[in-house]
Amino acid sequence: MQKNSTSPRYADRPEERNRWLLSGFAVIVLLMLCSFGAMAQSKVSGRVIDAQQQGLPGVSVVVKGTTTGAVTDAEGRYSLNVPRDGIALVFSYIGYVSQEVPIDGKSTINVNMADDTKSLNEVIVVGYGTQRKETITGSVVAVKGTDLVKSPTTNLSNSLAGRLPGVTAVNRSGEPGYDGSAIRIRGTNTLGNNSALVVVDGIPDRAGGLDRINPADIETISVLKDASAAIYGSRAANGVILITTKRGKSGKPQLSYSFNQGFAQPTVVPKLANAGQYAEMLNDLNVYELPVSEWSAATQGFKANGTYTRPNGTVRTAPYSPTDIQKYNDGSDPWGHPNTDWYKSTLKTWSPQSRHNLQLTGGTEDFKYLASLGYQNQDAFYKNSATGYKQYDIRLNIDANINKYLHVALGILGREEFRYYPTRGAGAIFRMQMRGKPNQPAFWPDGRPGPDIENGENPVVITTNATGYDRDKRDYIQTNGQLDFKIPGVDGLKLQATAAIDKLNQNNRRWTTPWTLYERGTGVDANGVPNLVASKRGPAEPNLTLGNNTQLNILLGLIGTYERKFGDHGLTALVGVNRETIQGDNFNAYRRYFISPAIDQLFAGGALEQNNGGSAFNRARLNYFSRIAYNYKEKYLFEFLSRYDGSDIFPQATRYGFFPGVMAGWVVSEEGFWKRSVPIMNYFKVRASYGQLGNDQIYFPGTSTLATYQYLATYGFNTYIINNAQQQTLSEARIPNPTITWEVANNADIGIEGQLFNGKIAFEFDYFNNLRTSILYPRNASVPRTTGLTLPPENIGKVRNSGFDGQISYNGQAGALRYSVGVNGGYAQNKIIFWDEAPGAPEWQRTTGKPINAYMAYQYDGVFATQADIDANRLDYSAIVKTLRPGDMKYKDFDGDGKITPNDQVRNNRTNLPLFQGGMNISASYKNFDLTVLFQGSAGAQQYISLGESGNVGNYLQEIYTNRWTVDNPSSVHPRIANRSDQYYSGNNTYWLRSADYIRLKNFELGYTIPETFGKKIGVSSLRVYVNALNALTLVNRLGSFDPEADNATGQYYPQSRIINGGLTLRF
Amino acid sequence: MIRPFKTISLALLVASISITGCNDNFVNTQPLDQVAGDAVWSDAALTEAFVTGIYAGLGQGGFNEQQLASLTDETIFTHPGRGITTITEARSNPADAGWINETIDWNNMYLRIRAANLAIQNLTTPKFANTNGIADRLMGEAKFMRAYYYHQLVRYYGGVPIIDKVYGLGEADYGVTRNTMEECINFIAKDCDEAAALLKGKSPAKGRGNELAALALKARVLTYAASDLYDAATAKSKSSAHAAFAQPAILGYVSGSRTERWQKAKAAAKAVLDATSGYQLNLSAPASDGTTNYMNIALSRNGGDQDVLFSRSFINQKPEAGGQQGLYNGPNGYHNWAGNTPVSLLVDDYEMIDGSKFSWSDPSKATTPYANRDPRFYASILYDGAPWKPRTADVAAKDPANQIQTGQYEVTSGSGKVSVAGLDTRRSTVEDWNGSYTGYYMRKFIDPNPAIVDQNTYQQIPWPFFRYTEAVFNYAEACIELGEDAEAKTWLNKIRFRSGMPALTETGDALRQRYRNERRIEMVFEEQRYHDARRWMIASSTLGRKANTISITGTLKAGKSVSLYRYDPTSYDYTYRVVEIDPGKENRAWLDKMYYLPISRDEINRNSKLVQNPGY
């Protein structure tokens, strides 16, 4: 804090100020409770049926002009208390025409709802409010919680792929606890952080994000893709995801319980060479160590009898004789010649996961509650797994009308996320499965675990608790308090005060113990079984690391809105202010030399070489925002959004950014000429938006570490050994950039929306053109390293990203069969217009003009199949390889200088993120059956495949075995195998760069609702059973050996999950 | 109803004022884990912390998994795919220079040079009290480290841009040209002189730059400067790449007298010799336990640490890669990785203990090649039959004798004989893929303490950057080049006596050759050979040679029966055969471009004023 403060009383003591505010809030609540008086009411009930005379559940029944309402039950029945001054009931349900029925003193009102799939009255959550679909002027898409629960994933982010046009979700791993998808709204827009802002119940960027929110608690998710996000200006540049949780519904208490039992397995397990094939390949490698002139004879000798006599007279023995290979293949000698499938040895066929949800909702019109309890448990793919994820969550949402002016909404979420792992990470485990030598035993025939490749990393052991454990417990408490106050006397004027407090407490605990593997000893035991000897691996003695990390986010907000209709003129005005702070603290402690592996508490560790550390951080923001919306007859729509934001990421002088958004819409179908000339298109809207949005989330290049304080000349700490002790050191963290300021997204969007045949067909298309300017990036490419500068990000980059997205759906009905088909997709292509580029780079390697992170590679041009091919070669390869040998790869001489040099690498237009992602939704219901199917696909991504450590320390993909160049079968397409990628052609060329296009059956659900009559017998009002699946089937996988969403070239990662799940939902 | 609303309205008004606070001071957060630059230079302790931070550029010293030795005729690197063969097969290019260690890396050196420049700038007029001369000491350390990093650049890249200013952001032009070799050498020598003067009389803390280290650095640099490679005319005559190079002054002296340069080198080395006395260099006859003396120096203990003038320490409190030499280089039969393994070319250069040359063509030597060798051999190399630490529990039963096994041996099996591969070979039952290709393992710098199980325990052996012994060699070399053979021998024999080796008697070129071999053996694995072979311009006939290996077979003598193998000349006839490493494993070659590393393509793309080294 600066000393020259001009603030009033509490500027230097924010906590004091907060306390003041909170106590003020409490006083207000008390006052409101005192002033509340009961009002006279009458009861109305009835039944809502559809065209088939079936009871329609879930219909919202609201007393017109109030928030008082109820929802119909499974039979379509409802009952509610209507205030004496209640005039009419409004019945609404998605897919049906809303109806308004005057009450006129009736106590029973039955309604017949007519189909209306145009759903123009659907209410969409937008920034700081809601809007009807019909009047929205921005590009906003939404998905309902009821759709998301159909996906049996344990991570909400995995449910979004294929459901929302323009939103891509790429899942890189299925590891419990870290199985989220990377979500991008309209692709990649910046060289820095491309993550969207997640807003939960109006609060931006809550600790924990969206991944672990219980899908059963979600009412809707809306995505703001264009300037409509400008009201969140500061962090909205990459789009905004708005999550709204369910609120209580009035009526008698309704209890629902759902139970899901799922089973997961990897989507794709790479096919690897077996022991015999691997032995053949190691023999090949041994031959390739010889001069080329001896390859042929050596290969024949190895194949014939396992030996080869060299011209100099020495005899070379094959690593594996023909007898060895035969034994590997026929399995006759499990002790000496095992044939191990490491994936099979390590992974279960199916890994269980389960989820229980209990939800209670009810209340009166003036006091509604929703309480939700969730539990989930997710096992890992490993046998005897030490890995898993458990979650407990509770959510309580309360709404109270204190009187006709005051409404209070409270929400509290408690969640514990418990991640547990063995002490070796999934990277190491799957590295060892990929590498795992198939001619080593996972287990010896007597069941004891076999040896390792290195570091004791036999995957069948390091997946268990034999190595200790690594636990991560995160406890979140998130509270919302919101007070809506309608100013009496000023119609349409409302004040809203918000306080949200999020607390995270994270405890890490890592206990590493030595473990035992078994090596083949000498001789055999009395039974003739080979002797095994125990081998201690891992650390010399147990050690323990503890870590604690706490974070407190506080958001205080105040919003004023004025919403009124003046005849044909509709006006909404909103102004608000938000103050956000984050405080973080952490510490860690380490001890080794534990007296016994039996005691895993810190005190029991030795005093020698103990270690500890800790640190802290503060973050803060201050934001002002406004919305002005005007419409004329809801035909001409206009909206202006703005935000004035200050972020602690930037220095005082350049801290504030102003981010406006302008949007306009024209409901053409409301015009007389349209109604006359195009009557079949009952709804058609054209809209356009342009906005500037900000981004202050600067990451250090290639990391996800927030680059804070880039404007300050600060020095960071480390240690160095002086006089045999650690001494603190300092080094320049960076050279400061005092003028650093906001990155700006200039997002333009033009869209059309429409409906045909009264809603049978609905469509929506958008074209967008985003120009990101002032992108923060360091000038590493052009500033010579002789300067020694550690460069800060500067506002230098410019990236254009444009494309289109849209969806079209058809709703049909044939007898009792109701169905809908929807197709959606989004295409986005970005291009770097300017950033820091080395002045000397050749034109075809420049990144400017190419997509961000576009690949650069040598151009594969076949393989030198024979020595004759090499002799005929006229290109000079000496810059990259000393002597060409048969089976080497050919490269194109791109610059035509007759030499293959690094200048022959060419940058292409592809990255590891798809250009296009889309989905096709089919849903159908027939009598008591319902079915939803989601196909999802993506195109345009590329991914390297690398042999990585294949060779004498690691296995090869079976496709490599099958295709490889050999002396006997010289391929002109596929190269000779390399030992641990040691050949010039082992990487960085287009041969290894593969398309990652795919189409998969992402999700399906088949449900059956037990007939009511049966349900009544067992005391439930509704019972539905279902089966569903995630990643059920991959129909097209261009990547082949790995899951197409993989971004790990060597397959050394925890693969994506296929989940099959069965469940039931009971309502009482 | 009106009163509560008034209250509420007031409360909301107050709340809104609270939120905005009338000012936004709370947004001015401060980093809690860093310290402001201004604060550093007015506080002696923080300034010291900054200067200590400059040493971070030393990385792990020479104790990385890949070692510089494997780019020379000392060792070969076992594991493929690490960029080693890119260099040894002479196929480095500016986009792929091969394995470049952080202690060599251009970017890292200039990063640390900037830090030194920043310290020097701020210490010129220190803003804190010079209590006990702390400001002088820190200035001395900063100058020493700047000189050290420039010397790294110069010996790997040739003349480089001399940057002695502190760049800021947004300067108009960052382009710089390479300085001449002479300018670079003078700059380094001057920093060394100033550092030595500032550090004189300051009691040195282990790990910090000190007066002796500054003098030793100067001696090294001036010795290099006097050498063949640094003399443009000589380099031109011996290297085709240099002959075609348009700017010879960048890589060598184009004028001046070589004799004068040797005299300067001699004086600089003598300054070190006069300043201290090293370890066990006062003997008048060969020591009885040369192996122990030599190990004391390599392990920096029992007084051997007196020979080490500047080092990088490793302690268990802070586990770092440099503490894992045993794991990186130890035998696979101990679950170690056998990374840098000595080649036969090196082993063969160890003399017999009587000072004669070892020769495979002498049958008495060829049948017992590891007997009666230079005592330093036993401290530096693990060979077939060499005693070593106890094996780990799972292997112990296979080798109760705890001996290195790098051969192929016959053992009795039932009524017949079978041939088994030694535990430390590439046909071992233990992690064969990690076995040595050469039949030897590195022993020097690995703590022989059996309690240190190398696969999972760190050792605490420091890496020596400068040894007193090196200054002795530099002095002797200057003497030889100046024709002062007697003086050279006086000093060289001190080193030989300490090692238990007899005196040298040669003169002239014969003495020069003995000297060069002596330096090769004494300083083995210490990152000297890479530079010596270059500056003497003997690389094509030394580093360019094919690496080789020893093939050992043990055949049971008639009537002998052995069920569990151990090294035993009474039961076995051993045959030894030197074999070249297969070309598909590593096909060593020398091209004259390899005298210097290429300047990276990225850096030249950033700064077009840089001239690329010859041959690239």
Side-chain angles (χ1 to χ4, degrees), chain A residues 351-402:
Chain A
S351 306
Q353 62 176 51
S354 59
R355 187 197 280 272
H356 299 257
N357 289 317
L358 194 63
Q359 211 167 66
L360 179 69
T361 178
T364 65
E365 290 71 38
D366 289 325
F367 182 82
K368 288 179 281 189
Y369 57 87
L370 178 130
S372 177
L373 279 171
Y375 165 77
Q376 59 171 298
N377 188 359
Q378 182 184 9
D379 191 9
F381 298 152
Y382 316 128
K383 294 175 177 170
N384 300 315
S385 171
T387 296
Y389 177 77
K390 271 195 177 79
Q391 177 176 315
Y392 309 87
D393 50 74
I394 176 167
R395 184 181 296 272
L396 187 61
N397 283 343
I398 293 173
D399 294 88
N401 294 323
I402 308 305

Side-chain angles (χ1 to χ4, degrees), chain A residues 664-692:
Chain A
W666 177 26
V667 186
V668 190
S669 53
E670 289 298 306
E671 301 287 356
F673 72 84
W674 186 277
K675 286 184 172 164
R676 285 190 296 275
S677 52
V678 205
I680 58 160
M681 194 179 283
N682 58 295
Y683 173 65
F684 183 70
K685 178 167 77 182
V686 182
R687 53 179 166 72
S689 72
Y690 176 78
Q692 288 191 320

Side-chain angles (χ1 to χ4, degrees), chain A residues 107-154:
Chain A
S107 64
T108 303
I109 298 178
N110 294 327
V111 168
N112 215 327
M113 296 282 277
D115 283 1
D116 172 18
T117 36
K118 69 180 186 176
S119 62
L120 296 175
N121 289 316
E122 187 183 343
V123 167
I124 305 275
V125 178
V126 296
Y128 301 102
T130 56
Q131 283 181 344
R132 282 186 303 121
K133 179 81 180 146
E134 190 173 15
T135 61
I136 279 181
T137 46
S139 180
V140 181
V141 289
V143 61
K144 297 223 162 294
T146 45
D147 291 329
L148 298 174
V149 295
K150 292 177 192 291
S151 176
T153 173
T154 51

